[in-house]
Structure formats: structure tokens, C-alpha cells
Amino acid sequence: MARRSEHTREQLRDLMLEAAEQLIVDKGLAGLSARAIARQIGYTPGTIYLVFANLDELILHVNARTLDRLRVPMQAAVAATDDPEQQLLGAARAYADFARSHPNLWRACFEHRLPEDVAGPDFIDARIAQLVELIMAPLARVSGAEGAALDAAAQSLWSGVHGVCILTLTGKLHMVGGQATEHLTDDLVTHYLAGLVMRAAPADAR
Amino acid sequence: MARRSEHTREQLRDLMLEAAEQLIVDKGLAGLSARAIARQIGYTPGTIYLVFANLDELILHVNARTLDRLRVPMQAAVAATDDPEQQLLGAARAYADFARSHPNLWRACFEHRLPEDVAGPDFIDARIAQLVELIMAPLARVSGAEGAALDAAAQSLWSGVHGVCILTLTGKLHMVGGQATEHLTDDLVTHYLAGLVMRAAPADAR
């Protein structure tokens, strides 16, 4: 408890986010409580509510950091090649790798629920939109899709890869483990893109 | 508490499963505890452990019932037409409809986690295999895929639809709500199948 009151509000905020992040890494979202965070940083639970409105807000800020970290390898994968199909495969693999190497943090982004009557905050929506936008340009180039069709393609492709990650991570697919995730991610992206390209092509070019 | 000791073990088991199911429907998996189930049925929490090894085992049996119910509309969709693409679209829509109309029960099947060192039971694996097998025959017919490629196709298609369901259900996609789920499910299945068919066709037939 020696550190009590030694920190500015900004420092406290960082300490709390780091402690919460480590608790989620170790035990998952279910292992998180204001009491556990407070114990980690040597403050009373009440201190948390001087910095965050409630535990949900704190978790959302941890999730925002996770989404920022997830974007980095996806951006790198898109920057690594000029071939739009390879950009999409690379981004999907980067997403799956991140999910596998940070399973609890990744799941926290998607399993955390706010009360039914509370809308998700803009800073989370904006980060998810950034992820979806990352794959928009290569999807447009590879398929010629635009507007609502491009939007739907980006969202269903992301959802598809997300589904592969969640079901392999939680052991629900019988080909479990890392190999299965990469294999199924590639299978899904490759076939989806081939179908999108074929359907988008004018009939006489098929 | 009047019902105490009035039930056989088999009746108790059913009562506990029904109470647990209702608690999950109302509050999600996080709202479930032995105490809450016991209160519902008018027994002490200890009685639960005379019937089930632990709360995890009870939850797994609720999930088995959910998976059995989920299979019914999917089977009906496959039986409703002889066109394999329509069978797959129908099964995917039935899956998405079930997820939307029973969100907490459906999520419990996939979010429930056993301790790391405990393998999932065969009765869950078998039910998941049944769902995947449902789409195997139409997938084989539509694409000519077989063996490991057919297996991968069934798993990535299911995972993809699952991902659409989980992200629309949890409000992570900006086109939220039921419309988005059906639209994205159709988009994913249609493009994936078109790609699978194209890639499976001999090169000179493309």
C-alpha cells in the first residue's frame, strides 16, 4: 500500500488499465473485479471510481488498447505486398495470430457486454471501423465491388475469419490448434474472394 | 421449499436443467450459480451435486439440449429443398435465426469454458459433429469436394456463419439487427460456395 496517493490521475489511469489488462491475460474477463485491480496497484477499490465511471468503462478502455495493438500487424500485412488477395490473406492471418497469442484480451473485446440499454462508446466503434476499413481497399481492388456490396463483403469476410478464430480457440472444431486456424482462415478467405470476384465479373467475362 | 425430497433423481435432473436453462435465458451464463438453480427448484445447493459432478457438467447438459434444438430447424431447412445451394443457405439462415431468437442459450454453448486441463465431453463433440455433418452432403453435391477439402469447407463455412451471428448479436457490426445477420449470412454463403465450386471445377471447365 506504499504507493497510495503518490500518483497523478493520469498515472493512476495507466496503472489501472495495465493491472486490468494483466488480470484479463491471466484469468479472462471473468477474473476481473474492481477489488482485484485495486489490490494489484495498492489502492482501495473506491479509487477506481475516481478515474472511471464504472468497471465497464475501464474494460472498454482496455479493449480499445487491445484493438489498437491488433491493428498494427494487420496494417503491416497489408503494407507488405501490393497483391490485394495476399493483403487480405495476410490481414486475416494477422488477425488469427493475434487472437491465438492474446486469447483472453481478444475475447474480452468481443465477449464484454454492456447493460442492454447502454450503447457502445464511439471510441470502440471507431476502432472496429478502422479494422474493417483496412480490408476495404484490397477488397475493392480484388473484386471491383463498391458501395453497399463492398461494405457487406468487408463485414462478412471479417465475421467469417472471426468465427474461425473463436471456434478454433474454444476447441469447438475437431481440427483444433494453430494449424487448423490458419488452414481454415486461408480456406475461407480464398473461396470467399474467388466467389466475390466471379460474381462481380460481367457475365460475358466468366 | 415444499417440494423437497418429492422427486426422483431423474425428475430432479430435469428440474435442474430446466431451471438452469431459464436462468441462462434470463441473465446469460454469468447469471448462473448453483445457489440460483437451487432457489428456483426449492432444494439446497448441495442437492445439485448429488445429480451432477459440478456446475460445469450441468451447463454442458443444458448446452447439449440447446444443440439438439438448434439441429431441428437446420434439418428442416435441408429437407425442404433438393437444391444443395438452397439447402446450405437455408441451414445457415436457420442457424442465424436460432442464434437471434435464443441468444443467451446459443452463446452459452460457445462461451462456456471448462478448466484448461479438462477435455470437452463426447456428448457435446458428437452434437457439434452432427451439425457439421448436416451441411456435408449438400456441400459435396454443390462443389464435388471430398475428404479433407470437404471437411475444411464444412468447418470454415460453419465458422463463417457463426462469426456473422456472434458479431451481429453483440452489436459489433455497424449494420446491426436481424436484417444484417440474414444479409451477411447470405453474402458469406453465396460467395463462399461460388468460390468453392469454381476452384473445384477442372481448369478447362472454368
Side-chain angles (χ1 to χ4, degrees):
Chain A
M1 296 283 160
R3 303 197 296 188
R4 184 186 291 262
S5 299
E6 287 173 15
H7 300 98
T8 65
R9 186 187 166 90
E10 197 57 36
Q11 287 171 328
L12 270 177
R13 184 177 182 282
D14 287 346
L15 281 174
M16 288 168 188
L17 288 175
E18 272 156 38
E21 187 174 294
Q22 195 54 52
L23 286 164
I24 294 174
V25 167
D26 292 342
K27 301 182 179 177
L29 205 48
L32 199 69
S33 65
R35 186 186 298 257
I37 296 166
R39 198 182 309 124
Q40 288 279 6
I41 63 172
Y43 282 85
T44 62
T47 316
I48 290 171
Y49 304 108
L50 301 177
V51 180
F52 294 99
N54 49 46
L55 191 61
D56 280 333
E57 191 192 297
L58 189 157
I59 293 169
L60 288 166
H61 282 281
V62 172
N63 288 346
R65 283 157 55 122
T66 303
L67 292 169
D68 285 340
R69 281 159 67 187
L70 165 57
R71 194 169 70 249
V72 175
M74 290 178 69
Q75 274 174 325
V78 171
T81 167
D82 193 47
D83 176 334
E85 179 164 353
Q86 290 304 317
Q87 291 176 324
L88 292 166
L89 274 170
R93 286 178 193 153
Y95 188 86
D97 280 347
F98 186 91
R100 193 165 59 230
S101 49
H102 305 81
N104 284 348
L105 285 176
W106 179 76
R107 290 182 68 170
C109 292
F110 300 102
E111 292 184 359
H112 175 244
R113 298 202 238 188
L114 290 169
E116 298 246 332
D117 52 344
V118 177
D122 289 345
F123 66 88
I124 292 288
D125 290 351
R127 282 170 169 85
I128 288 181
Q130 282 178 321
L131 293 183
V132 175
E133 269 158 33
L134 254 184
I135 63 173
M136 285 280 205
L139 257 178
R141 278 182 64 204
V142 87
S143 68
E146 54 187 32
L150 176 61
D151 199 40
Q155 301 208 42
S156 49
L157 190 58
W158 171 43
S159 302
V161 171
H162 184 85
V164 168
C165 294
I166 195 80
L167 291 180
T168 51
L169 259 187
T170 56
K172 295 297 189 282
L173 295 178
H174 63 78
M175 295 194 300
V176 289
Q179 193 97 37
T181 311
E182 178 148 330
H183 183 64
L184 294 179
T185 302
D186 284 5
D187 178 285
L188 187 84
V189 173
T190 307
H191 289 125
Y192 182 86
L193 290 182
L196 192 69
V197 172
M198 197 194 72
R199 297 244 163 182
D204 59 354
R206 283 183 198 170
Chain B
M1 296 283 157
R3 302 198 296 187
R4 186 186 290 262
S5 300
E6 288 173 14
H7 300 99
T8 66
R9 185 187 166 89
E10 197 57 35
Q11 286 170 327
L12 271 177
R13 185 178 181 281
D14 287 345
L15 281 174
M16 289 169 187
L17 288 175
E18 272 156 37
E21 188 174 293
Q22 196 54 52
L23 285 164
I24 294 174
V25 166
D26 292 343
K27 299 180 180 179
L29 204 48
L32 199 68
S33 65
R35 186 186 298 258
I37 297 166
R39 197 182 310 124
Q40 288 279 3
I41 63 172
Y43 281 86
T44 62
T47 316
I48 290 170
Y49 304 107
L50 301 177
V51 180
F52 295 97
N54 49 48
L55 192 61
D56 281 333
E57 191 191 297
L58 189 157
I59 293 169
L60 288 166
H61 282 281
V62 173
N63 288 347
R65 283 156 53 125
T66 302
L67 292 170
D68 285 340
R69 280 158 67 187
L70 165 57
R71 194 169 69 250
V72 175
M74 290 178 69
Q75 276 176 324
V78 170
T81 166
D82 193 46
D83 177 333
E85 180 164 352
Q86 290 303 317
Q87 290 177 323
L88 292 166
L89 274 170
R93 288 178 192 152
Y95 188 86
D97 280 347
F98 186 91
R100 193 167 57 233
S101 49
H102 304 81
N104 284 348
L105 286 175
W106 179 77
R107 290 182 68 170
C109 292
F110 300 102
E111 291 184 1
H112 175 243
R113 297 203 239 188
L114 290 168
E116 297 246 332
D117 52 343
V118 176
D122 289 345
F123 66 87
I124 294 288
D125 290 350
R127 282 171 168 84
I128 288 180
Q130 282 178 321
L131 292 184
V132 175
E133 269 159 34
L134 254 184
I135 62 173
M136 286 280 205
L139 257 178
R141 277 183 64 205
V142 87
S143 68
E146 53 187 32
L150 177 60
D151 199 39
Q155 301 207 43
S156 49
L157 190 58
W158 171 42
S159 303
V161 171
H162 184 85
V164 168
C165 295
I166 196 80
L167 291 181
T168 50
L169 260 187
T170 56
K172 295 297 188 283
L173 296 178
H174 64 77
M175 295 195 300
V176 290
Q179 193 97 35
T181 311
E182 178 148 330
H183 183 65
L184 294 180
T185 302
D186 284 5
D187 177 286
L188 187 82
V189 173
T190 306
H191 289 124
Y192 182 87
L193 290 182
L196 192 69
V197 171
M198 196 194 72
R199 296 245 163 181
D204 60 353
R206 282 182 199 169

